[in-house]
Amino acid sequence: MKETKIKIQKLSVYFEYIQALNDVSLDIYANKVTSFIGPSGCGKTSFLRTLNRMNEMMRGFRHTGNVLIDDVNIYEKQIDTVNLRKLVGMVFQSSNLFPKSIYENIVFAARLHGLKDKNALDEIVERTSKQAAIWEEIKDRLNENALNLSLGQQQRLCIARSLAVEPDILLMDEPASSLDPISTAKIEELIFELKQKYTIIVVTHNMQQAARISDYTAFLYLGQLVEYDKTTKMFTNPKNKQTEDYITGRFG
């Protein structure tokens, strides 16, 4: 039986006078990969950033509707955004590593949350690096500057860093868009493995990638949810003509 991890109810998002999302409702399931597809400017990233309240950093942000994680409305006033972002990790389109050592990049968030024990930090580095399928490549380089790594390695290091505080949900905004095919394949394999433990939401422009990695796919267009279904159904027998046209490259 599918367990609903995130429930979106009539969500609309505005930035000053611009409406980015319009009355979006859907359920996102635990331990599944859900991809959001759609042309640039359709609201994909705005949607993703509502799930950890990062849109609040943008000028003029307001919203209507509800975002519930484990049946808790994350926009209630008493919600601590620091703890929310611990629960909901995020990997950005391009790696946003600090000009520090590989080790310090991984443990950054754990230190931020007050963890000081060296043995515990060492354990986090090894555990998350193995989860992110990069341990063998970095275990003898932990004191090197993280920016010396290849782009593909940097992106996997960002994933390791986001796992260090043990989130329940992992948001990925175009995680492989700047990577070569081999690095992209490694990220996709990693996503497939990580869903055993995490609920993963991916924004991608790549139709083939969405088809390969996701259990469910949502198609957004001009801020509206056009269609949402199991990925196999969406890509073989979509209900909406607009979805079919987008997936087959007739528009967008």
Side-chain angles (χ1 to χ4, degrees):
M1 183 174 173
K2 293 180 298 191
E3 177 194 347
T4 298
K5 185 71 176 176
I6 305 171
K7 186 176 282 291
I8 310 296
Q9 300 171 324
K10 295 185 175 299
L11 176 67
S12 293
V13 167
Y14 307 83
F15 298 99
E16 294 189 326
Y17 302 108
I18 298 169
Q19 184 166 10
L21 292 171
N22 182 14
D23 203 32
V24 172
S25 296
L26 74 160
D27 289 352
I28 293 173
Y29 303 108
N31 302 108
K32 303 292 182 187
V33 179
T34 303
S35 285
F36 280 76
I37 61 172
S40 294
C42 71
K44 301 187 300 295
T45 297
S46 294
F47 176 82
L48 205 64
R49 291 166 68 99
T50 61
L51 303 180
N52 62 357
R53 290 180 55 170
M54 281 189 68
N55 279 331
E56 292 180 6
M57 301 175 185
M58 306 286 284
R59 185 174 173 180
F61 167 74
R62 61 188 175 89
H63 83 286
T64 59
N66 296 317
V67 178
L68 286 80
I69 296 179
D70 294 329
D71 294 322
V72 175
N73 187 344
I74 66 169
Y75 281 89
E76 294 286 346
K77 287 182 180 177
Q78 71 270 23
I79 296 295
D80 182 332
T81 55
V82 173
N83 287 333
L84 173 67
R85 289 169 194 152
K86 183 179 176 184
L87 174 75
V88 186
M90 187 160 186
V91 177
F92 296 89
Q93 183 170 354
S94 54
S95 65
N96 57 339
L97 295 173
F98 307 116
K100 296 174 179 282
S101 70
I102 292 168
Y103 184 98
E104 287 301 327
N105 266 276
I106 296 174
V107 301
F108 179 81
R111 286 195 195 278
L112 202 63
H113 285 276
L115 186 62
K116 295 177 182 177
D117 181 78
K118 179 72 164 56
N119 290 334
L121 293 172
D122 289 349
E123 188 278 326
I124 284 172
V125 170
E126 183 170 351
R127 172 178 56 80
T128 61
S129 298
K130 285 178 176 176
Q131 284 181 296
I134 196 174
W135 174 245
E136 292 302 320
E137 295 161 61
I138 66 169
K139 64 181 181 181
D140 299 320
R141 304 173 62 186
L142 294 175
N143 293 321
E144 274 188 41
N145 191 316
L147 301 180
N148 291 341
L149 297 172
S150 71
L151 287 178
Q153 289 172 325
Q154 287 186 31
Q155 196 65 323
R156 280 182 284 142
L157 190 65
C158 285
I159 293 171
R161 186 175 66 187
S162 68
L163 299 177
V165 290
E166 301 193 63
D168 280 355
I169 298 163
L170 202 54
L171 311 179
M172 296 185 164
D173 192 358
E174 300 267 4
S177 64
S178 59
L179 304 183
D180 62 83
I182 292 172
S183 296
T184 297
K186 285 183 178 178
I187 294 290
E188 291 182 2
E189 288 169 18
L190 182 54
I191 289 170
F192 188 77
E193 290 170 17
L194 288 175
K195 76 173 182 180
Q196 312 304 322
K197 188 170 181 182
Y198 306 97
T199 301
I200 301 176
I201 303 161
V202 181
V203 161
T204 180
H205 277 100
N206 188 319
M207 296 301 100
Q208 292 78 21
Q209 184 173 77
R212 285 193 299 265
I213 67 171
S214 55
D215 302 288
Y216 290 83
T217 298
F219 171 44
L220 289 174
Y221 185 64
L222 297 178
Q224 293 189 303
L225 180 63
V226 177
E227 189 165 345
Y228 176 56
D229 211 329
K230 288 185 176 179
T231 298
T232 49
K233 181 121 182 346
M234 282 269 287
F235 279 82
T236 57
N237 188 26
K239 297 172 188 168
N240 193 294
K241 177 73 163 56
Q242 200 174 22
T243 309
E244 183 180 353
D245 287 348
Y246 183 74
I247 287 172
T248 57
R250 294 195 189 106
F251 90 94

